[in-house]
Amino acid sequence: MSWDRNQMAAIAAREAQDGWYVNLGIGIPTLVSNHIPPGVSVTLQSENGMLGMGPFPFAGEEDADLINAGKQTITELPNSAYFDSATSFAMIRGGKINMAILGAMEVSEEGDLANWMIPGKLVKGMGGAMDLVAGVGRVVVVMDHTNKAGESKVLKRCTLPLTGKAVVDRVITNLGVLDVVPGGLKIVELAEGVSKEQFRSATEAAIVD
Amino acid sequence: MSWDRNQMAAIAAREAQDGWYVNLGIGIPTLVSNHIPPGVSVTLQSENGMLGMGPFPFAGEEDADLINAGKQTITELPNSAYFDSATSFAMIRGGKINMAILGAMEVSEEGDLANWMIPGKLVKGMGGAMDLVAGVGRVVVVMDHTNKAGESKVLKRCTLPLTGKAVVDRVITNLGVLDVVPGGLKIVELAEGVSKEQFRSATEAAIVD
Amino acid sequence: MSKVYSDATAALDGLLFDGMMIAAGGFGLCGIPELLIDALRESGVKNLRVASNNAGVDDFGLGLLLQSRQIKKMSSSYVGENAEFMRQYLSGELELEFNPQGTLAERMRAGGAGIPAFFTATGVGTVVAEGKEHQDFDGRTYILERAINADLSIVKAWKADESGNLIFRKTARNFNVPAATCGKVCVVEVEEIVPVGAIPADGIHLPGIYVHRLITGTHQKRIEQRTVRAKETA
Amino acid sequence: MSKVYSDATAALDGLLFDGMMIAAGGFGLCGIPELLIDALRESGVKNLRVASNNAGVDDFGLGLLLQSRQIKKMSSSYVGENAEFMRQYLSGELELEFNPQGTLAERMRAGGAGIPAFFTATGVGTVVAEGKEHQDFDGRTYILERAINADLSIVKAWKADESGNLIFRKTARNFNVPAATCGKVCVVEVEEIVPVGAIPADGIHLPGIYVHRLITGTHQKRIEQRTVRAKETA
């Protein structure tokens, strides 16, 4: 009745165009790299200072000097390049990355994104998320449509501290795909078995036709 | 009765301290590198993107990819490093260069420097001079005390467009050495055979004791 | 004039004072100046203000200086790995200035590049923008961010030549480059010091002009999250 | 999707329009994109605005585009080597915006880094500061300089791999790096294209993300001032 994590990642992977440079956030976005269609060559950026991020290493081949932005051990590829953090974010801020696929806590109908802080509860920090949403050409959010209590995470207005204002282009949830358009969100696709009514009732944000 | 070019360069070379990074301008300043005292190790920066500038190449060993800021062919040294122009001037602007030794058309008693433009006559450009005087820790000017007409180049106020305001620390001319201090210029040293009276009469700027 | 010191304590001698500002390289536990952090702990220097992307973990990296209560204020982008950090912050013992990661890196780079402030769109419309100057350029709104200038930079590189020219290894480069540039004095620890000339002039990641003191020593280089894939059998 | 084009004309196809803004690498005649400049001349594109530290000499480099009157405005720091430039400027045919060299490099870098404007002390109290916003930080006065964003970057590197990762050679790196970053499209000419993987990941000067189109060809690499020293005899 709805997409699972891998299906959401596969939907997100269809966004990628041949030759693009893409930054993937932690969580479901990381899975996207497993679903890039054949014939589409995508170079993954890791904002801690690498282009051409490869898969996890084989056991015993981990390198403490080679990690991704999630601090996980990774590998390099033939086209990889390393650089420092100032250069990495110059690239991000300067619009050189074609797309970022990120997780979220909340998205608003105006494309506001909240994914870094729950006041009084979690104090982790925004990491590179604010830079990514401000700088990257296309921002795609992948998240569950509702929270554990069944409340919509696709809102009229975000309740949590923002990561960025009017920065999201597309939202992919377990229930479907939404584009941020003038006046609200537009349904692009519904998950198999999800009706428009179900989708609307799970969505607080304004949906425009 | 006054210092020649090489003597001025030798006087300027005494400014250098062991371990310093120094930028030398075109003209007499270039000669300074021949006079660095033994035991003093100085690394020369060339603002087009090099630290550790070596001497001119032997004939036949010129390399079109290896020039200094005056566009002359040079060589590298064992400690040389290359970098791009943004990095080079980040270094200069950020105060990492200990000293710049530059030529000048005019210097004022407040340490203003004019060395890049004669209105209506010469349109060459300031190159890196404005960056150097604004960013480098110590700015030493080496120039003739008077112009061809015998008029002082050490002035109350510069008449030519400025390279920088209140940027010069010391002036070395063929007649002597002056420091920029509150209220005017202070004589540090006179060239052999130059009397204080001669020096004062050749100097428009206020000299303080 | 040699830049090479015998150990981290010797290399920090005369540089430390209570309340000082330190810029530290590293991302997570990758490329952190672990030897210099240990020496800072031993020095007992207090009320440090530290600019570093992360705060280490409880028992390694800057976490050690949190444990010993030597840090008064952190400027970071992400501190999620450090429970002691959270405890001190939530109890009000520790000041925290959250920076977007790229803003933090650029603030350090600006400090080293003689740029006192720059405009960025990062953080506009968020808490990060509160109290900051806003200005529009070509129809977009930006905020003014100030440079970070530190009293001391502590940096980890892979190799240095004796003149201080540095190379880093893989993603351990990270904040070490911008952090190195923004300190009045920069002390660097490396895995190996090689003779001048051993690093090709075109292969240097950070020229020796940025490096004032240099040490070498044994590094733990801890891995924070060991992730592996299964070896496919043929 | 290959970045490699057959020649300079093919690599510029579809990118040119009258009045466009071009950022060019090179310092003097060192590291200039000579093949792309020749192709620009052949294209006949007009009213160009060009950001380049220098303007070439009369018969080489950007001097060729001055000769053919294709340039309307130059943003440079030094044009002393070019007699035709001076003539056109003094007769009012050519607009000229003088930039301090470091400000020019930083304006390009800012354009590539998403920074619309930054403060610098360079030029304060000079003609360069006229009409610019002044602001004091920590007791010193700075001026606000705007980023350069170009429609096209033309760049010369030494080698590229097929994914566009670049390395430069010696002082031919110069403005090629900042210029490459500030264009909407960046076209690069190199002396050799090598297979992906041939340049070590830690040795890349500019990652391929900045490079959209790539050509190779024979370069003249003219020397502007051949200075030599005498060989001492033993």
Side-chain angles (χ1 to χ4, degrees):
Chain A
M1 307 301 255
S2 67
W3 290 322
D4 65 18
R5 288 163 55 92
N6 269 302
Q7 285 170 310
M8 288 159 72
I11 300 289
R14 297 192 321 221
E15 300 279 323
Q17 294 181 23
D18 190 34
W20 270 19
Y21 294 86
V22 175
N23 185 294
L24 302 178
I26 298 169
I28 305 176
T30 303
L31 301 176
V32 171
S33 62
N34 301 330
H35 299 276
I36 303 290
V40 174
S41 168
V42 162
T43 304
L44 299 180
Q45 200 235 22
S46 190
E47 67 262 30
N48 53 318
M50 183 185 198
L51 277 162
M53 181 167 53
F56 294 153
F58 296 121
E61 295 176 7
E62 310 91 329
D63 184 338
D65 290 336
L66 183 43
I67 65 170
N68 65 17
K71 281 96 178 181
Q72 300 169 313
T73 48
I74 51 168
T75 54
E76 71 177 43
L77 298 172
N79 71 335
S80 293
Y82 300 107
F83 35 83
D84 67 73
S85 299
T87 304
S88 182
F89 283 92
M91 202 178 279
I92 289 168
R93 208 187 301 105
K96 308 300 174 182
I97 309 286
N98 301 95
M99 177 168 63
I101 303 180
L102 303 171
M105 298 168 178
E106 296 176 350
V107 173
S108 85
E109 64 191 39
E110 289 177 339
D112 299 350
L113 171 68
N115 72 347
W116 76 281
M117 192 189 184
I118 301 174
K121 213 172 168 184
L122 255 166
V123 201
K124 292 194 167 183
M126 67 289 283
M130 285 190 182
D131 308 275
L132 284 162
V133 299
V136 170
R138 179 168 176 80
V139 174
V140 175
V141 161
V142 183
M143 64 172 192
D144 284 328
H145 206 94
T146 54
N147 64 17
K148 284 169 192 162
E151 296 158 342
S152 180
K153 294 168 69 176
V154 184
L155 303 171
K156 290 203 168 304
R157 215 172 287 262
C158 292
T159 65
L160 296 171
L162 293 186
T163 307
K165 259 195 100 62
V167 293
V168 176
D169 295 293
R170 175 166 283 193
V171 187
I172 299 170
T173 76
N174 53 322
L175 300 185
V177 179
L178 289 159
D179 271 357
V180 179
V181 297
L185 301 170
K186 196 182 150 163
I187 297 173
V188 177
E189 188 177 353
L190 295 172
E192 285 88 6
V194 175
S195 71
K196 216 165 182 175
E197 291 63 40
Q198 281 176 299
F199 192 89
R200 279 174 182 274
S201 76
T203 307
E204 187 202 289
I207 294 190
V208 297
D209 286 308
Chain B
M1 307 305 255
S2 67
W3 291 321
D4 65 18
R5 289 162 56 92
N6 268 302
Q7 284 171 311
M8 289 160 70
I11 300 288
R14 297 192 321 220
E15 300 279 321
Q17 294 182 21
D18 191 34
W20 270 19
Y21 294 85
V22 175
N23 185 294
L24 301 178
I26 298 169
I28 305 176
T30 303
L31 302 176
V32 171
S33 61
N34 301 330
H35 297 277
I36 303 291
V40 173
S41 167
V42 162
T43 304
L44 299 181
Q45 200 235 22
S46 191
E47 67 262 29
N48 52 317
M50 182 185 199
L51 277 163
M53 180 167 53
F56 294 154
F58 295 121
E61 295 177 8
E62 309 90 329
D63 184 338
D65 289 336
L66 183 44
I67 64 169
N68 64 17
K71 281 97 178 182
Q72 300 170 312
T73 47
I74 51 167
T75 54
E76 72 177 41
L77 298 172
N79 72 334
S80 293
Y82 299 108
F83 35 84
D84 68 72
S85 299
T87 304
S88 182
F89 283 92
M91 202 177 281
I92 289 169
R93 210 187 300 103
K96 308 299 175 183
I97 309 285
N98 300 95
M99 179 168 63
I101 303 181
L102 302 172
M105 298 168 178
E106 296 176 349
V107 173
S108 85
E109 64 190 38
E110 289 177 340
D112 298 351
L113 171 67
N115 74 347
W116 76 281
M117 191 189 185
I118 300 175
K121 211 172 170 186
L122 255 166
V123 201
K124 291 195 167 185
M126 68 289 283
M130 286 190 181
D131 309 275
L132 283 163
V133 301
V136 170
R138 180 168 177 79
V139 174
V140 175
V141 161
V142 183
M143 64 172 192
D144 285 327
H145 206 94
T146 54
N147 65 17
K148 284 171 192 161
E151 296 157 341
S152 181
K153 293 168 69 175
V154 184
L155 303 171
K156 290 203 167 305
R157 216 171 286 264
C158 292
T159 64
L160 295 171
L162 294 186
T163 307
K165 259 193 100 62
V167 292
V168 177
D169 294 293
R170 174 166 282 193
V171 186
I172 298 171
T173 76
N174 53 322
L175 301 185
V177 179
L178 289 160
D179 271 357
V180 179
V181 297
L185 301 171
K186 198 182 147 164
I187 298 174
V188 177
E189 188 177 351
L190 296 173
E192 284 88 4
V194 174
S195 71
K196 216 164 183 177
E197 291 63 43
Q198 282 177 298
F199 192 90
R200 278 175 184 271
S201 77
T203 308
E204 187 203 289
I207 294 191
V208 297
D209 287 308
Chain C
M1 212 192 60
S2 174
K3 293 182 176 179
V4 181
Y5 286 69
S6 57
D7 60 27
T9 299
L12 293 176
D13 186 46
L15 302 179
L16 305 182
F17 57 93
D18 292 347
M20 72 188 298
M21 171 82 187
I22 296 178
F27 179 89
L29 301 184
C30 180
I32 60 171
E34 44 178 281
L35 305 177
L36 291 162
I37 291 168
D38 287 348
L40 281 172
R41 177 161 170 144
E42 280 163 35
S43 79
V45 63
K46 287 190 304 286
N47 293 321
L48 298 174
R49 292 170 295 140
V50 179
S52 168
N53 189 60
N54 310 97
V57 293
D58 287 346
D59 64 340
F60 193 55
L62 291 173
L64 295 171
L65 302 183
L66 288 166
Q67 221 180 45
S68 56
R69 312 287 176 88
Q70 288 172 268
I71 297 179
K72 184 184 145 199
K73 181 180 174 183
M74 285 291 303
S75 298
S76 302
S77 90
Y78 192 84
V79 296
E81 297 89 353
N82 195 311
E84 174 64 14
F85 187 107
M86 297 243 204
R87 200 201 56 70
Q88 288 187 23
Y89 172 65
L90 291 174
S91 71
E93 295 164 56
L94 180 70
E95 289 172 55
L96 172 59
E97 176 199 71
F98 268 134
N99 291 257
Q101 192 172 151
T103 297
L104 184 65
E106 189 68 14
R107 290 181 65 200
M108 290 183 183
R109 191 236 173 226
I115 291 171
F118 58 90
F119 284 97
T120 175
T122 301
V124 169
T126 77
V127 292
V128 162
E130 286 172 13
K132 286 176 186 157
E133 183 181 330
H134 286 60
Q135 195 164 321
D136 283 13
F137 297 95
D138 300 327
R140 190 172 183 192
T141 303
Y142 297 82
I143 52 173
L144 187 66
E145 292 280 1
R146 293 294 309 274
I148 290 175
N149 289 286
D151 298 302
L152 172 68
S153 301
I154 55 172
V155 160
K156 155 77 170 63
W158 185 35
K159 293 183 184 181
D161 72 21
E162 285 161 350
S163 75
N165 288 319
L166 301 184
I167 49 173
F168 301 89
R169 193 168 168 274
K170 302 187 189 279
T171 57
R173 198 179 318 182
N174 57 56
F175 275 80
N176 281 297
V177 170
T181 67
C182 74
K184 279 195 202 79
V185 182
C186 173
V187 183
V188 178
E189 60 183 67
V190 297
E191 297 178 43
E192 189 185 353
I193 297 176
V194 299
V196 170
I199 308 176
D202 264 327
I204 289 161
H205 294 148
L206 192 73
I209 191 171
Y210 289 105
V211 177
H212 301 98
R213 300 181 181 191
L214 198 56
I215 58 158
T216 184
T218 308
H219 288 80
Q220 284 190 49
K221 293 176 56 167
R222 265 200 222 173
I223 290 177
E224 204 161 339
Q225 288 197 49
R226 194 175 296 272
T227 45
V228 297
R229 68 188 143 136
K231 228 164 200 154
E232 283 142 56
T233 45
Chain D
M1 211 193 59
S2 174
K3 294 181 177 180
V4 181
Y5 286 70
S6 57
D7 60 27
T9 300
L12 293 176
D13 186 46
L15 302 179
L16 305 182
F17 57 94
D18 292 347
M20 72 187 298
M21 170 82 187
I22 296 179
F27 178 91
L29 301 184
C30 180
I32 60 171
E34 44 180 282
L35 306 177
L36 291 162
I37 290 169
D38 287 348
L40 282 172
R41 177 161 171 146
E42 280 162 36
S43 78
V45 63
K46 284 190 306 285
N47 292 321
L48 297 174
R49 291 171 295 140
V50 179
S52 169
N53 189 61
N54 310 96
V57 292
D58 287 345
D59 63 341
F60 192 54
L62 291 174
L64 294 171
L65 302 183
L66 288 167
Q67 221 179 45
S68 56
R69 310 289 176 88
Q70 288 172 269
I71 298 179
K72 182 183 146 200
K73 180 180 174 183
M74 285 290 304
S75 299
S76 302
S77 90
Y78 192 84
V79 295
E81 296 90 354
N82 196 311
E84 173 65 13
F85 188 106
M86 297 245 205
R87 199 201 57 70
Q88 288 187 23
Y89 172 64
L90 292 173
S91 72
E93 295 164 55
L94 181 70
E95 287 173 58
L96 172 59
E97 175 199 72
F98 268 134
N99 290 256
Q101 191 172 150
T103 297
L104 183 66
E106 189 68 15
R107 290 180 65 199
M108 290 183 183
R109 192 240 172 220
I115 291 171
F118 59 90
F119 284 99
T120 174
T122 300
V124 169
T126 77
V127 292
V128 161
E130 285 171 15
K132 287 177 185 157
E133 183 182 331
H134 286 60
Q135 195 165 322
D136 284 11
F137 297 96
D138 300 327
R140 191 173 182 191
T141 303
Y142 297 83
I143 52 173
L144 187 66
E145 292 279 2
R146 294 294 310 274
I148 291 175
N149 289 286
D151 298 301
L152 171 68
S153 301
I154 54 172
V155 161
K156 154 76 170 61
W158 184 35
K159 293 183 184 180
D161 72 21
E162 285 162 349
S163 76
N165 289 319
L166 301 183
I167 49 173
F168 300 89
R169 193 169 167 274
K170 303 187 187 277
T171 56
R173 197 181 315 183
N174 57 57
F175 275 81
N176 282 297
V177 171
T181 67
C182 74
K184 277 195 202 78
V185 181
C186 173
V187 183
V188 178
E189 59 182 66
V190 297
E191 296 178 42
E192 189 185 354
I193 297 176
V194 298
V196 170
I199 307 176
D202 264 327
I204 290 161
H205 295 148
L206 192 74
I209 190 171
Y210 289 104
V211 178
H212 301 97
R213 300 182 180 191
L214 197 57
I215 58 157
T216 184
T218 307
H219 288 81
Q220 284 191 50
K221 293 176 56 166
R222 264 199 223 173
I223 289 177
E224 204 161 339
Q225 289 197 46
R226 194 174 298 271
T227 45
V228 297
R229 69 187 140 137
K231 228 165 200 153
E232 283 142 57
T233 44

